[in-house]
Amino acid sequence: MSMGHCPEQRSGFEVTKDWNGGDQVVIRSPKGASVRVSLQGGQVVSWRNDRGEELLFSSSKAIFKPPKVVRGGIPICFPQFGNCGTLEQHGFAKNKMWTVDEEAPPLSYGDNNNKASVDLLLKPSDDDLRCWPHSFELRLRVSLSMDGDLSLISRVRNVNGKPFSFSFAYNTYLSVSDISEVRIEGLETLDYLDNLIQRERFTEQGDAITFESEMDRVYVGSPSVIAVLDHEKKRTFIIRKDGLPDIVVWNPWDKKSRSMADFGDDEYKQMLCVNAAAVERAITLKPGEEWTGKLELSAVASTNCSDHLDYPGRL
């Protein structure tokens, strides 16, 4: 086979092409789990467990026309989340071409043991600086543990002469069997901003969050660990986060699904966005300062034990 057809192998990952000709990084664990990251947007587009089951949702109607973001996986929202600012929805990082960062500075987290990872880098183009006039470096480390856990660590550094503020979110599309059989634990009693009612503030009254209509909420000051339980699949997603105080919960339900060109009319039943985020209060960096936000996703076998925050066996 000629070298032109060989995927480019580096330590722990390989750079290959997706079916559309775009560059993707593939990370595999020895047990068979895998992650695919598109350099377009720095977007995780696939996360499979060691049985080959896809754990992230991607729409069958997704549009693969860069720079449009693909509906599904984990788009990076930076430097804006939603429409709360002057930029396009969810900012521009998701629409840009990232590079593999060969010389990423070391992380202060001592969690790289037995992990395969890749470091990506985004710097602003002249066009970006015209619409958002702040010099930054946005680094993303995507790692896969021996057990198939997925972690994303983002670092934003201000290389500007003046302070700037930003919002950030990992827009995480989880694959579920049936949204009506799903519940979220760990957000009980928290305040949330309801984006369906002009960001009005409420306090969560339920023992767990369940779904029977459209939902678009920002749970503020959320704990570092929450669980998403899928009863039909007997699977629980554990979401661990650091530096990201909020959790955004979104499901478009039937009416909004029909209005989205890149989303199937009934696909709301098979997905749920649970996004670790910093959106209620913007992050401000002085010149030379760096912010770090970390997300770790695990998929474990649900058990009948009442305390799901013990999280035994894994999938």
Side-chain angles (χ1 to χ4, degrees):
M1 180 186 286
S2 70
M3 288 303 290
H5 294 90
C6 282
E8 186 181 345
Q9 184 75 48
R10 309 190 197 185
S11 60
F13 66 91
E14 63 182 30
V15 180
T16 183
K17 297 284 185 187
D18 63 20
W19 61 271
N20 212 28
D23 283 337
Q24 270 191 0
V25 176
V26 184
I27 308 172
R28 293 187 178 87
S29 81
K31 295 179 182 176
S34 66
V35 174
R36 290 180 177 268
V37 193
S38 174
L39 294 188
Q40 178 66 45
Q43 181 175 349
V44 172
V45 292
S46 172
W47 171 39
R48 293 179 181 270
N49 63 17
D50 56 16
R51 292 205 289 274
E53 296 166 330
E54 181 58 63
L55 302 172
L56 298 176
F57 168 84
S58 289
S59 173
S60 64
K61 300 282 179 70
I63 298 166
F64 294 88
K65 286 185 181 172
K68 184 172 175 61
V69 68
V70 175
R71 175 78 67 182
I74 310 179
I76 301 286
C77 303
F78 171 88
Q80 175 182 304
F81 183 79
N83 294 314
C84 303
T86 58
L87 303 174
E88 63 190 284
Q89 169 143 325
H90 296 330
F92 52 72
K94 65 188 182 348
N95 306 109
K96 301 299 178 182
M97 186 60 70
W98 295 49
T99 58
V100 175
D101 187 5
E102 301 282 13
E103 299 171 359
L107 280 164
S108 55
Y109 288 101
D111 67 351
N112 288 321
N113 297 337
N114 299 320
K115 287 188 176 180
S117 63
V118 65
D119 290 285
L120 302 183
L121 174 63
L122 179 68
K123 293 182 180 180
S125 66
D126 290 343
D127 281 349
D128 299 334
L129 290 169
R130 274 193 284 276
C131 69
W132 198 67
H134 307 293
S135 280
F136 66 88
E137 292 174 349
L138 171 51
R139 286 186 161 82
L140 172 65
R141 174 169 293 179
V142 181
S143 303
L144 192 63
S145 75
M146 294 283 282
D147 291 321
D149 298 341
L150 171 61
S151 76
L152 292 86
I153 301 175
S154 289
R155 293 180 282 174
V156 177
R157 178 173 287 279
N158 182 349
V159 292
N160 213 32
K162 59 183 189 292
F164 63 72
S165 299
F166 64 92
S167 299
F168 187 95
Y170 293 112
N171 198 1
T172 307
Y173 286 78
L174 299 175
S175 174
V176 299
S177 54
D178 179 350
I179 188 63
S180 63
E181 297 287 324
V182 171
R183 75 177 195 268
I184 303 176
E185 293 184 356
L187 302 177
E188 308 80 44
T189 75
L190 294 186
D191 280 7
Y192 64 86
L193 310 176
D194 194 331
N195 288 324
L196 301 178
I197 319 176
Q198 289 76 51
R199 291 173 65 84
E200 193 173 333
R201 195 176 188 109
F202 297 92
T203 300
E204 179 57 54
Q205 305 293 334
D207 292 335
I209 296 165
T210 56
F211 298 87
E212 49 197 26
S213 60
E214 182 182 356
M215 188 177 290
D216 188 355
R217 297 175 181 175
V218 180
Y219 285 84
V220 299
S222 56
S224 59
V225 183
I226 69 164
V228 180
L229 291 81
D230 185 337
H231 297 290
E232 197 170 302
K233 274 206 171 102
K234 296 185 169 56
R235 172 191 294 155
T236 299
F237 290 104
I238 314 303
I239 299 172
R240 295 179 176 87
K241 61 188 180 66
D242 187 40
L244 297 157
D246 308 319
I247 285 281
V248 181
V249 179
W250 181 71
N251 183 288
W253 220 251
D254 55 347
K255 187 178 177 186
K256 185 163 282 182
S257 295
R258 289 195 291 273
S259 73
M260 295 191 291
D262 61 347
F263 194 86
D265 290 356
D266 291 322
E267 287 187 324
Y268 72 91
K269 297 174 183 175
Q270 273 75 57
M271 59 72 64
L272 174 62
C273 280
V274 184
N275 309 336
V279 296
E280 188 209 12
R281 292 191 186 93
I283 296 152
T284 299
L285 292 178
K286 298 189 183 82
E289 282 189 334
E290 186 173 84
W291 165 88
T292 302
K294 180 180 179 183
L295 168 67
E296 185 175 279
L297 298 173
S298 309
V300 303
S302 301
T303 66
N304 295 322
C305 72
S306 57
D307 184 4
H308 284 283
L309 300 184
D310 278 338
Y311 312 126
R314 134 185 337 270
L315 285 178

